[in-house]
Each structure stands twice: as C-alpha cells, then as structure tokens.
Amino acid sequence: MAFSLEKFIHSLDLRTLPRVLQIQSGIYCQGSVYEMFGNECSLSTGEVIKVIGFKINKLIASICENNEGSQFSAKVELPLNFPGLYKVVADKTPYVSIEEIARKVSIGPTRFGHPCFYSAEDIKLENFTIKHGEQITFNSVEEVNGTMAVSCFMVRNNQSHSFTLPLSQEGEFYECEDDQIYTLKEIAEWKIPKCRNRIVKLSNTLCMRDSSCPLPENFDGCLILMPVYDVQAVMKFRKDIVHILSDLDVEVKDITDCYDIGSFLQPLSLEDIFERTSKEFPMVAEIMEGPLGSQKPYNLLSTGKEIVIYKKYQAARVLASEMRSDSSKRHFLIPTSYKGKFKRRPREFPTAYDLAIARSEKEQLHVVATKAFVSPHKELFSVSVGDQFLVQQCQTSEVLYEGRKKLIDVLACEQILSDSYKKVLLPMYMEGGFVEVIHDKKQYHLSEIRKEFHLPFNVKVSVRDLSIEEDVLAAAPALQFEEEITDSYLLISSASSPVESWEIPVYRLNMLVHLLSKDAQTAVPPTTRTTVEEISKEEYYMLRRYENLTLHPPPRPPKKPT
C-alpha cells in the first residue's frame, strides 16, 4: 500500500530502521532532480531508497487566536530555536493500550521522557489496584521476565509505588495535564506523539516585535504543531547520504521485507567502526558524509575521500580551560604527545582545606592571604590580608569549646615574618582566600607536569608546539589543567597519500563512511600528527559529568564549630 512520504515518516518507529522504500509517485523538477541541503537526488517513480534515519527539522504551526477549541487558521513555519516558552495542552483522544503509548510517545531517561497518563477504569495489579483517574508516570520501557513492559510509578497518600505495566495491557488511557513549560526544541524532541497533533499554548514569548516574527502581535492563543522531518537516506547508485524533507510531495511503498537490503551501501558511524574487533583493522573506507570544521584533520575529511583506519584504542587527554573571568573561555583536550612547554602560574585556594589537598612532598607550598579571618579560638591563628605562609602538614589540635576541650583538624603552617618564621595553626574549616607564590621558573613538558604535580594546575604556554601549524594554546593568557581523561579514538590517514596519520574522536565527530573491499597499502601507520582539540561548552560539561561519575569526590571540609 502506498502512503505519502509525510504520513509514512510520521508513523515510522526509529527502532525499525533501516527501511527500503520504493517511490510510487515521484517529483519531477528540472529533469527529475530534487535538491535539498546541497544534495541532489532523482526521485522518479520506481526509484528505491533506504531510509537510515530521520529527525525533526522544523515545525509547521497552525494559529488559533483564542483557545484550543476554536478554529485554526493561518499556518506559519517555526524553526526549532524559535524563542519562547510553551505549555503542552493534554491530548483529549485516548490511547487504547500501553503498547500504543510506548510506540507513539517518547519515553526516556531525562525529565522530559517521563510522560504521565491516567486510566479511565481501575487496573488491578498483584499487590494493589490503580484507581481510575490516578496519575501514572512512565519511566522506561524494559523487558521483565521475558515480557516487554513499561516501568511506572505513582504517588498515593504521599507514598511512592513502583510497578510495571505490560505492553499488552489494554484500556482507555488519557494524557494528564502538564504544568511544566518547555522550549520549542524540547517539545519537538520529546512531546510530539507519533501520528498525533500536539497543541501548545504560548506561556512567554521572547520574540521581538519586528517583521521577522511570524506570530500575530500580542498573540495569546494556541498553536497546533506539525513536525517536518529531515529524512536521511541512501540511494542505489550514490555514495553519499541524501537529505529529503518529509513534506516532499511523493508517495512511497515499504518494500523492506521483499528487497535485498544488502545491495545498498552500508553507512557506518565512527561508533559502528569502533565496535568492530581489533582483528578487522586496518580497513579502507570512503567518506559518505564528512564532519564540519575548518581545523585539521576535519577539513581533510570531505565526502568521497578514501581513508585508511589503522586501529582503535583508548588514549589519555588533559582537559584544559582558559583562565578568564568572563563566560567566553575556551576548552581544550590536549594529547600527551604535545611538544610545547609550559611555565607555572599561581593557583588560588578558597579554604585552608584546599591548601591541605594541594600540598606536595616535592616542594613547600608558599601562599599569600587575600582575605582576612578572625579565629574564634585563641589557640588558633587569625589571618590578615597579606600574611604569607609556608604550608606544613595536617594535624589535630586541642581547643577550648563551650568550657570543654575538644580536638579539631588544623593545618600547621609557618608564617613568614620579615626576619624569621612563626609556627601557626589554621583551622581546616577556615574560609579565607590564598594565592600561590611561584618560585619555580622552570619550563615543563606536559609529560613532566602529569608525573610531578596534582591537577588542577595552572600554566601558560612558554614555547609553542612547532609541529602544529596553529597552536591554539599559545594564544591563551593562562590555562588550567583540570583533569586527565581517557577517550576513544580511531587512527586514520589518507588512502591516496598516507604521509601522516591523525587521531579522530569517536564520540564527538559526526561522520558516516562505508567500507571498501580493498586492502590498506601498509598496516603500519605513518607518523601521527599532534592535534589539540577545541571542544564546545556542551561537550566540556558532558566530559566532566562522565569523568566525575568514576571519581570519588574528596570529603567535604569540616564545618566551623557553632
């Protein structure tokens, strides 16, 4: 049976990809050539394409001036980054089973992926009964004792109850009212069910009143949203990925079950390549869709280029950030092969506890106080701005507290006077401020810093890496080496002129390739070029979050006695 491309994509489950489609009614424009996003593809009747993915590209919104019960009139096109905050209007059409909800509604690990429904009738479970009208929150879809089910919870009498509902559970399920507000992008990604309309009400608009704003002036009504998808597909006789908008006026027929899907080129992501066994390397591949970026090696990875992938491995990187007071600081991943040199820069310490962590056996930590502190105990030292200290060791000290002697943790230091030193004790809970005094004028390689010092560590590039055409680290006023991470990489080179090889990150590079049935000229990679990778703020926070999951945080500083 033939469907419009729009209807087919709107009902398609991502989990069933890839799908092979035959064009039943094609588009004829300039010799049967249709151009979208710079890709040309012939969509003539009888053509066969393999759909490998799709994502929402934009939204078509029908405008209702009053409320969701009124007639919708004009339609406008809204990009996903259109400003404003929106409330989702609950769908009044019921779902007939849990399976329909799981198939049509986005259920996932984030707070956006926990939809809420209620049943029109009581549902009897083994331990208790869900009463009609009670709110059920859907957490995840999982297999329970060989049966697919939805993990749920509900709150009754201030107590949370967890349970599962099998996909086979039938009934009459309605969407609950949602009092949260969302951006248009969040609604597009999580709140538009398959094969259903989504009505939203404008809660707050950030749209400037100018000719570029498509909504009526002082608009306070509802919008009915229809997604337009960017469909990624492979054609029979092409070696690149084509992009087709789902609202293109063509009819298609799903012929997956009766077609040899292996006759198409098989696009592979870098993650797919990384999952291959080590014995399969090296391999030769052709780029079907290259990454964006002007820095090497990304500017060399253009569509149609053949590359050799020598091996996969885990490699260490030092995560570094510019030391700037504004929010525009940049973030970098520095390979251990970096050949530049660094000079130390002063570190800042907000508490005495941070001084205790930073002290090292290699050298004595010398600091200057930048904030005054008055000790509540006569046995401990009161600090003035400008006081200088040499940090010694952690110990305990006896203080008088509410008429009783009590042991507390302290930091033993030597105060530097004009012609002598004075032994003092600082309470570990002391909230002050200290700046390091650097006496070390030595220039360090990255390998020496990793070996001799604890991170975080502040530096400035003193000698740039001459093997890099443009050393982005040299332009930074100062850098903080925050932590060392381990990440996944592929080692590649050009297949036609393998004079140098490059490390490319597996999980931060959007790139598709297909494997060629030819052998690499040599299994030994050429000289590997050093590249400092600049990462976005989003990638930086994802790396910090991932790394911090595997680290145990240090104990919190002891609190000041009350």
Side-chain angles (χ1 to χ4, degrees):
M1 183 184 295
F3 299 93
S4 69
L5 178 63
E6 184 174 51
K7 184 176 181 181
F8 179 81
I9 294 298
H10 278 228
S11 61
L12 184 59
D13 188 341
L14 270 171
R15 293 170 292 186
T16 66
L17 293 178
R19 309 299 297 177
V20 179
L21 306 182
Q22 186 179 52
I23 307 299
Q24 299 293 297
S25 174
I27 181 169
Y28 297 91
C29 176
Q30 296 180 352
S32 300
V33 171
Y34 168 68
E35 184 171 333
M36 180 56 60
F37 302 124
N39 291 318
E40 294 179 350
C41 61
S42 170
L43 290 180
S44 54
T45 301
E47 182 70 71
V48 177
I49 63 174
K50 181 172 74 169
V51 175
I52 59 172
F54 59 92
K55 60 183 179 180
I56 294 180
N57 175 272
K58 60 184 177 182
L59 294 165
I60 303 298
S62 300
I63 297 175
C64 176
E65 293 281 2
N66 300 318
N67 57 62
E68 65 266 26
S70 302
Q71 187 69 35
F72 288 89
S73 53
K75 291 185 178 182
V76 296
E77 186 176 297
L78 299 178
L80 298 186
N81 62 354
F82 185 75
L85 297 172
Y86 305 83
K87 292 193 72 171
V88 171
V89 177
D91 192 347
K92 293 181 173 58
T93 305
Y95 291 81
V96 298
S97 68
I98 298 298
E99 185 275 333
E100 185 187 6
I101 295 175
R103 179 164 41 88
K104 293 183 177 180
V105 177
S106 296
I107 301 174
T110 75
R111 67 179 181 90
F112 305 118
H114 296 159
C116 298
F117 291 84
Y118 66 89
S119 173
E121 300 175 352
D122 292 354
I123 301 176
K124 293 184 178 181
L125 303 176
E126 285 187 13
N127 301 328
F128 69 105
T129 299
I130 303 172
K131 298 177 182 177
H132 65 276
E134 287 189 302
Q135 179 172 299
I136 307 168
T137 301
F138 288 42
N139 279 336
S140 62
V141 180
E142 54 193 52
E143 187 174 331
V144 180
N145 299 326
T147 303
M148 294 305 296
V150 175
S151 173
C152 310
F153 80 90
M154 60 176 292
V155 177
R156 179 189 291 169
N157 298 328
N158 296 322
Q159 284 192 327
S160 180
H161 302 271
S162 297
F163 53 91
T164 59
L165 292 174
L167 297 193
S168 58
Q169 177 76 49
E170 295 182 346
E172 203 172 300
F173 301 95
Y174 291 88
E175 198 173 38
C176 294
E177 294 291 340
D178 188 346
D179 58 358
Q180 300 295 312
I181 56 175
Y182 305 95
T183 65
L184 209 57
K185 188 172 187 294
E186 290 166 348
I187 291 173
E189 291 176 351
W190 291 99
K191 298 297 177 182
I192 300 183
K194 285 284 184 185
C195 304
R196 291 191 177 221
N197 296 328
R198 171 55 79 200
I199 299 175
V200 299
K201 185 172 178 59
L202 190 62
S203 175
N204 176 32
T205 180
L206 306 175
C207 181
M208 300 299 292
R209 290 317 317 167
D210 57 27
S211 58
S212 65
C213 184
L215 299 180
E217 191 170 356
N218 300 321
F219 177 68
D220 190 33
C222 292
L223 301 172
I224 182 168
L225 303 178
M226 173 68 72
V228 177
Y229 293 90
D230 168 24
V231 182
Q232 299 144 355
V234 179
M235 303 191 71
K236 189 76 174 181
F237 302 107
R238 291 180 63 113
K239 293 184 178 180
D240 55 353
I241 306 296
V242 293
H243 297 262
I244 307 166
L245 289 183
S246 62
D247 61 352
L248 187 66
D249 187 18
V250 294
E251 289 192 343
V252 297
K253 181 180 179 181
D254 190 340
I255 58 171
T256 307
D257 295 338
C258 57
Y259 200 88
D260 179 15
I261 203 166
S263 62
F264 285 92
L265 293 177
Q266 178 60 43
L268 299 171
S269 66
L270 297 186
E271 292 97 319
D272 295 329
I273 296 291
F274 195 81
E275 288 174 2
R276 301 256 170 158
T277 64
S278 298
K279 293 180 180 179
E280 297 178 68
F281 293 88
M283 58 183 68
V284 181
E286 182 178 345
I287 298 172
M288 299 183 71
E289 190 162 82
L292 299 175
S294 56
Q295 67 181 106
K296 282 189 176 181
Y298 306 151
N299 60 345
L300 306 176
L301 302 176
S302 55
T303 300
K305 190 175 183 65
E306 292 185 9
I307 59 173
V308 179
I309 306 173
Y310 292 97
K311 59 179 179 177
K312 65 171 187 176
Y313 52 92
Q314 302 281 317
R317 291 290 187 272
V318 173
L319 181 60
S321 297
E322 278 186 316
M323 294 178 64
R324 299 167 65 109
S325 57
D326 56 25
S327 60
S328 62
K329 64 180 180 181
R330 302 155 75 191
H331 308 283
F332 307 96
L333 286 175
I334 309 172
T336 55
S337 60
Y338 181 81
K339 300 178 182 64
K341 291 185 177 181
F342 302 93
K343 279 190 174 180
R344 296 174 61 176
R345 300 287 293 172
R347 291 172 287 177
E348 296 183 2
F349 306 98
T351 68
Y353 182 74
D354 294 295
L355 294 178
I357 294 174
R359 68 190 182 87
S360 108
E361 302 296 331
K362 176 179 167 54
E363 63 175 359
Q364 205 163 30
L365 182 59
H366 178 188
V367 296
V368 178
T370 57
K371 185 178 177 182
F373 169 78
V374 178
S375 172
H377 310 289
K378 64 179 183 179
E379 300 91 342
L380 305 180
F381 190 70
S382 293
V383 176
S384 300
V385 174
D387 285 349
Q388 296 192 45
F389 302 95
L390 296 176
V391 178
Q392 300 290 332
Q393 63 188 21
C394 302
Q395 61 185 61
T396 57
S397 177
E398 207 172 56
V399 297
L400 198 62
Y401 176 64
E402 293 183 345
R404 294 183 179 182
K405 290 184 177 181
K406 183 178 181 180
L407 279 178
I408 67 169
D409 295 323
V410 296
L411 185 65
C413 300
E414 287 186 339
Q415 184 189 13
I416 303 174
L417 305 175
S418 57
D419 55 356
S420 62
Y421 297 92
K422 176 184 177 183
K423 292 186 182 295
V424 298
L425 298 176
L426 303 180
M428 204 74 83
Y429 61 76
M430 169 187 171
E431 293 181 5
F434 303 91
V435 173
E436 184 179 21
V437 178
I438 301 291
H439 300 283
D440 184 0
K441 304 300 181 185
K442 180 183 174 181
Q443 298 183 101
Y444 290 90
H445 286 290
L446 183 58
S447 57
E448 295 174 305
I449 293 174
R450 293 172 62 215
K451 183 179 179 181
E452 298 179 22
F453 300 99
H454 294 292
L455 301 187
F457 196 73
N458 298 348
V459 296
K460 177 176 172 56
V461 174
S462 55
V463 178
R464 73 179 188 87
D465 187 340
L466 298 177
S467 70
I468 303 176
E469 285 185 14
E470 184 181 352
D471 188 349
V472 292
L473 300 182
L479 294 165
Q480 182 175 76
F481 292 166
E482 297 185 17
E483 61 183 318
E484 190 171 306
I485 70 166
T486 302
D487 209 357
S488 304
Y489 290 88
L490 296 173
L491 187 65
I492 68 163
S493 76
S494 167
S496 57
S497 54
V499 294
E500 56 189 13
S501 60
W502 306 85
E503 292 178 321
I504 58 173
V506 172
Y507 299 107
R508 288 185 302 281
L509 202 60
N510 291 320
M511 179 170 148
L512 291 173
V513 303
H514 74 93
L515 299 181
L516 301 177
S517 56
K518 60 170 71 174
D519 295 328
Q521 296 178 11
T522 174
V524 180
T527 304
T528 303
R529 289 288 298 270
T530 298
T531 53
V532 175
E533 184 186 355
E534 183 173 349
I535 59 175
S536 67
K537 192 177 294 291
E538 291 76 16
E539 290 169 333
Y540 166 77
Y541 286 119
M542 285 297 290
L543 282 170
R544 291 306 303 267
R545 182 174 68 175
Y546 174 76
E547 285 298 315
N548 290 340
L549 287 175
T550 62
L551 297 174
H552 295 292
R556 297 183 66 179
K559 293 183 178 180
K560 173 181 175 180
T562 55

